[in-house]
């Protein structure tokens, strides 16, 4: 086994280390989600923490790591007689992104069921991680149903398995740590809320600190054992401090005054539910124990808020996590008791003394508000650049200007109708189109093609039953041969590649019109986020088209590019469709199982070059010939309509919807199933 990198040798990353250590002191905090760019020691820190967690005493032979002092009365391996426990190191269990549901929660032991005729439970990773650490690298790439099971177990402290005739409940209390790179897609806000704390990590911009990081890493790579030995003293001291904080934790007093500050802070920042209040209370208590105190102070509450609230402030995927620290300080001052904690240096009288607010929280660290440098801040209704032409001049529908115009703010997003790809796919699990998936409702059984992954037990027994006498069966076991095995076929939903092709030409440049178009695309992006799609963005204007965003799982990146999209010039519709064809061709090679959905946002006009309309029609038929499902969002406005977007939809073999029809609350229709290219022929 390789020697892990010492925790105390990690340079900087104070918030990351504090979040992990607080969970080591009090696992009831609820785990920590580590968000940050690649190469910032996220995985290194998590794996290094395992060496610091105190050893656990377990019942000998118990597969569920029961504590001999208070064994789980419902343990599947119980009941346990009184016996001396066996000490061992706390386990660090890693959950791979591609793990199956059976591997996570456990399942029926098929081998024993068929050979011995008994129901036996085979534990999963949740049982292995009990009283240890469960680590999920790239948790944002984990399938939704696995994340739901994982976080439910973390919240309840137990795993419940009801499947294939097995009904099992076992304890599953662990320190949950997830790491992720936001560039690869976000977690849903509901799932973010289930992590107790979150920390943001980024590479240091300090030259000396970066030099020290490289120096230590090279020394570790040259001699891992020797490097770890040089840090053994610091590691032992930190291990002892964790044990002392754990012992002190039950004696820490959470007074009514600080409890009121916690409640007032959560109310002021409008977090949903009560989980934030509970997590803040547990975190503040752990902070006091970590500092060696038996009483929680206002500074502990402030630090707890910086760790527990930023990720709970998100209302949609386009909101950056963060916390207004000035507002936090003001809330803590207003909710603080008249007789403040004796260690607090904030003055009780004169609450208007603004000069004491800067740095008044002390305590250092926490999670600073996330600064998303790539995002263009949205403009308000009246926030357009004043140097633009007067309001009345460019607003006439369909009016085209050759000059490039400044980006305009998008209208308010709305809930859209679901656009789905017809047929039955086999892509990655998601929430858009029907597909054969590893998870979902069982629709039948078939002979396995290759390795058996999901056994259909009833169909297997039914196939083997008629041959038992001929096979000389005796006893309880069922004589099963490979030809009897049946694979369960299941149907669920898949995520698709939604490629947006957006007309940014002069014909779309009227302010009110482009604002509505951006609002519609933003609404579709929000829908794609909720349905776990990949998204891409192609824009066309002037003389050419460009890939504004290659296909990615990060829809907030697409929203950022959309917000800063300039308009103006001619309408090279064919160039946009051909560029989209190139993107889809490459993506079919990279991920052939993920079906595409082409969303063209245009008024249907085509200008520039010889025969632009005919060329756009040929480009549309190219998509149709390859079976690409498509929808055209018709942005044409005004009393006189040419119907060009509808004609483009016919060339694509797809469906045309207006901006009004796209709304879920519109009476223009119900769910729009996009017509596949082959069907329209």
């Amino acid at each position: 086994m390789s020697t892990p990198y010492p925790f105390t040798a990690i340079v900087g990353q104070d918030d990351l280390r504090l979040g992990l250590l607080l969970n080591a002191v009090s696992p009831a905090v609820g785990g920590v989600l580590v968000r940050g760019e690649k190469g910032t020691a996220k995985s290194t820190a998590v794996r290094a923490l395992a060496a610091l967690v105190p050893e656990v005493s377990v019942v000998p032979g118990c597969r569920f790591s029961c504590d001999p002092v208070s064994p789980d009365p419902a343990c599947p391996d119980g009941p346990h007689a009184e016996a001396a426990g066996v000490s061992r190191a706390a386990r660090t269990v890693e959950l791979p992104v591609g793990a199956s549901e059976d591997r996570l929660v456990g399942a029926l032991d098929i081998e024993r069921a068929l050979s011995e005729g008994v129901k036996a439970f085979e534990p999963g990773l949740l049982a292995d991680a009990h009283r240890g650490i469960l680590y999920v690298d790239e948790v944002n790439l984990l399938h939704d149903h696995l994340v739901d099971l994982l976080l439910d177990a973390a919240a309840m402290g137990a795993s419940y398995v009801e499947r294939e005739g097995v009904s099992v409940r076992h304890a599953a209390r662990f320190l949950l740590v997830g790491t992720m790179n936001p560039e690869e897609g976000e977690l849903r806000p509901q799932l973010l809320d289930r992590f107790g704390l979150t920390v943001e990590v980024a590479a240091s911009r300090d030259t000396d600190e970066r030099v020290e990081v490289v120096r230590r890493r090279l020394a570790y790579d040259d001699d891992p054992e020797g490097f770890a030995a040089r840090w053994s003293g610091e590691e032992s001291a930190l291990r002892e401090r964790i044990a002392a904080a754990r012992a002190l934790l039950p004696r820490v007093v959470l007074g009514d005054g600080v409890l009121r500050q916690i409640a007032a802070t959560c109310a002021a920042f409008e977090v949903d539910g009560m989980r934030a209040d509970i997590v803040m209370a547990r975190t503040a208590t752990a902070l006091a124990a970590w500092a060696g105190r038996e009483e929680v102070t206002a500074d502990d509450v402030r630090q707890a808020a910086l760790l527990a609230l930023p990720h709970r402030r998100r209302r949609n995927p386009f909101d950056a996590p963060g916390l207004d620290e000035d507002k936090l300080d003001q809330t803590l001052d207003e909710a603080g008791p008249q007789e403040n904690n004796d260690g607090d240096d904030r003055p009780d009288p004169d609450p208007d003394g603004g000069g004491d607010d800067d740095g008044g929280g002390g305590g250092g660290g926490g999670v600073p508000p996330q600064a998303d440098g790539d995002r263009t801040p949205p403009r308000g209704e009246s926030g357009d650049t004043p140097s633009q032409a007067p309001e009345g001049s460019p607003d006439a529908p369909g009016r085209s200007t050759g000059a490039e115009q400044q980006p305009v703010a998008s209208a308010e997003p709305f809930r859209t109708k679901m656009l789905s790809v017809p047929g039955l796919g086999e892509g990655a699990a998601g929430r858009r189109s029907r597909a054969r998936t590893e998870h979902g409702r069982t629709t039948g059984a078939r002979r396995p093609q290759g390795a058996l992954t999901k056994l259909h037990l009833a169909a297997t027994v039914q196939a083997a039953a008629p041959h038992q006498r001929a096979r000389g069966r005796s006893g309880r076991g069922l004589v099963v041969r490979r030809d009897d095995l049946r694979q369960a076929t299941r149907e669920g939903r898949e995520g698709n590649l939604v490629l947006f092709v957006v007309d940014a030409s002069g014909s779309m440049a009227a302010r009110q019109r482009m604002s509505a178009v951006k609002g519609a695309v933003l609404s579709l992006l929000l829908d794609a986020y909720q349905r776990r799609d990949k998204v891409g963005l192609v824009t066309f204007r002037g003389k050419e088209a460009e890939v504004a965003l290659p296909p990615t799982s990060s829809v907030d990146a697409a929203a950022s590019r959309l917000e800063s999209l300039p308009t103006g010039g001619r309408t090279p519709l064919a160039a946009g469709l051909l560029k989209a064809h190139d993107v889809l061709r490459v993506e079919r090679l990279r991920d052939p199982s993920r079906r595409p959905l082409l969303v063209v946002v245009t008024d249907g006009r085509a200008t520039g070059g010889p025969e632009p309309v005919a060329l756009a029609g040929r480009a549309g038929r190219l998509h149709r010939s390859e079976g690409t499902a498509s929808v055209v969002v018709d942005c044409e406005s005004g009393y006189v309509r040419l119907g060009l977007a509808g004609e483009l939809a016919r060339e694509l073999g797809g469906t045309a919807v207006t901006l009004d029809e796209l709304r879920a609350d519109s009476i223009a229709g119900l769910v729009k199933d996009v017509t596949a290219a082959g069907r329209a022929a």
Side-chain angles (χ1 to χ4, degrees), residues 32-43:
V32 58
L33 175 66
V34 185
R35 296 164 41 93
E37 59 196 30
K38 51 188 174 292
T40 48
K42 300 187 298 293
S43 300

Side-chain angles (χ1 to χ4, degrees), residues 108-123:
L108 177 69
D109 189 331
I110 299 297
E111 182 178 351
R112 292 190 62 191
L114 296 179
S115 62
E116 302 176 22
V118 298
K119 291 181 181 179
F121 179 69
E122 185 176 0

Side-chain angles (χ1 to χ4, degrees), residues 535-559:
V535 297
L537 179 63
V538 173
T539 63
F540 59 93
R541 66 184 183 91
K543 296 182 179 180
E544 59 184 14
E546 65 172 342
V547 180
L549 182 72
T552 175
S553 297
S554 181
V555 296
D556 54 341

Side-chain angles (χ1 to χ4, degrees), residues 299-541:
D299 286 344
D300 295 328
V301 176
R302 185 182 192 278
Q303 184 82 22
L306 291 171
L307 291 168
L309 295 188
H311 60 301
R312 293 183 166 88
R313 294 275 297 145
R314 300 186 72 204
R315 291 296 184 269
N316 64 63
F318 312 132
D319 293 337
L323 212 62
D324 185 340
E325 295 195 40
D326 291 336
K327 180 179 178 180
L328 174 61
D329 290 335
Q330 180 181 356
T331 303
L332 292 175
D333 284 340
E334 292 175 352
Q338 294 299 318
E339 61 281 357
N340 217 335
N341 292 324
D342 43 10
D344 194 355
D345 57 359
R346 290 191 182 117
D348 289 338
D350 189 19
D352 297 327
D356 292 333
D357 286 345
D358 295 336
V367 182
Q370 182 179 354
D372 194 349
D374 294 333
R375 296 289 301 272
T376 301
R379 291 186 171 95
E381 289 296 327
S382 60
D384 299 326
T385 306
S387 61
Q388 293 299 314
E391 277 190 22
S393 59
D395 284 348
R399 181 157 183 170
S400 175
T401 60
E404 179 178 310
Q405 300 187 26
Q406 292 297 322
V408 299
S410 63
E412 192 70 22
F414 52 85
R415 190 166 63 90
T416 67
K417 289 185 174 70
M418 186 178 78
L419 305 173
S420 61
V421 178
L424 199 62
E426 296 182 349
R431 296 186 171 185
R432 184 171 297 278
S433 306
R434 293 175 56 232
R436 299 184 188 92
T437 60
E438 289 292 318
H439 311 279
R441 62 185 182 90
T442 301
T443 58
R446 61 177 174 82
R447 293 181 182 273
Q449 299 172 349
L452 179 70
T453 56
K454 291 289 182 181
L455 179 73
H456 194 296
L457 185 58
T460 299
V461 172
Q462 187 176 6
H467 309 291
Q468 296 306 296
R469 180 176 295 179
R471 294 174 183 174
R473 172 187 170 184
S474 61
R476 300 176 61 188
L478 191 68
V479 181
V480 179
R481 295 178 180 171
R482 181 164 184 79
D483 290 343
D484 302 325
L485 299 178
R486 295 294 183 268
Q487 173 85 23
T489 57
R490 300 185 178 186
E491 182 176 315
R493 292 277 173 177
E494 68 176 358
N496 297 111
L497 167 59
V498 182
L499 181 61
F500 293 93
V501 181
V502 180
D503 185 349
S505 65
S507 65
M508 303 280 288
R511 287 198 170 279
Q512 293 178 355
R513 187 174 176 188
M514 197 61 197
S515 177
V517 168
K518 284 188 175 183
V521 178
L522 197 64
S523 303
L524 290 167
L525 283 171
L526 181 59
D527 181 70
Y529 168 82
Q530 294 168 339
R531 300 191 187 282
R532 312 302 286 171
D533 295 317
K534 289 180 69 174
V535 297
L537 179 63
V538 173
T539 63
F540 59 93
R541 66 184 183 91

Side-chain angles (χ1 to χ4, degrees), residues 119-356:
K119 291 181 181 179
F121 179 69
E122 185 176 0
L125 294 177
L126 291 180
D128 293 342
H130 180 46
R131 304 177 67 200
I133 300 172
L134 183 61
Y135 172 45
V136 190
D137 192 15
E138 306 294 353
V139 65
N140 52 325
L141 304 183
L142 201 64
H143 288 168
D144 283 354
H145 68 283
L146 292 183
V147 176
D148 292 338
L149 291 170
L150 172 65
L151 297 180
D152 282 344
M156 295 185 295
S159 175
Y160 294 84
V161 183
E162 300 283 347
R163 53 188 303 175
E164 298 164 340
V166 175
S167 179
V168 172
R169 176 261 177 212
H170 66 82
R173 293 184 297 276
F174 45 80
L175 194 168
L176 175 63
V177 182
T179 58
M180 59 174 283
N181 184 349
E183 294 176 356
E184 298 171 340
E186 287 283 359
L187 277 174
R188 302 195 311 269
Q190 296 90 335
L191 302 183
L192 280 172
D193 184 59
R194 302 301 292 270
F195 281 94
L197 310 179
T198 185
V199 295
E200 292 282 339
V201 295
S204 172
R205 298 296 182 259
D206 180 81
T207 302
D208 293 337
E209 194 167 295
R210 294 175 74 96
V211 167
E212 186 61 24
V213 170
V214 175
R215 181 182 291 118
R216 292 186 186 183
R217 185 69 208 192
L218 293 178
Y220 170 77
D221 291 341
D222 289 341
D223 182 11
E225 290 80 7
F227 184 82
R230 291 195 293 274
W231 289 89
S232 60
E234 288 83 350
E235 292 282 290
S236 297
L238 190 57
R239 193 179 298 113
E240 293 172 1
R241 185 177 176 185
I242 292 174
R246 280 192 171 191
L248 179 62
L249 188 66
R251 304 198 301 272
V252 175
V253 176
L254 186 68
D256 290 342
V258 292
L259 194 55
R260 179 172 292 277
Q261 286 182 312
I262 290 171
T265 301
C266 293
F269 284 98
E270 300 178 348
V271 295
D272 296 331
M274 296 297 299
R275 183 175 289 116
D277 304 61
I278 296 171
V279 170
M280 273 190 64
R282 290 172 174 167
T283 305
T285 304
L287 280 163
W290 180 246
R293 288 183 273 102
E294 294 188 4
E295 187 173 2
V296 177
T297 67
D299 286 344
D300 295 328
V301 176
R302 185 182 192 278
Q303 184 82 22
L306 291 171
L307 291 168
L309 295 188
H311 60 301
R312 293 183 166 88
R313 294 275 297 145
R314 300 186 72 204
R315 291 296 184 269
N316 64 63
F318 312 132
D319 293 337
L323 212 62
D324 185 340
E325 295 195 40
D326 291 336
K327 180 179 178 180
L328 174 61
D329 290 335
Q330 180 181 356
T331 303
L332 292 175
D333 284 340
E334 292 175 352
Q338 294 299 318
E339 61 281 357
N340 217 335
N341 292 324
D342 43 10
D344 194 355
D345 57 359
R346 290 191 182 117
D348 289 338
D350 189 19
D352 297 327
D356 292 333

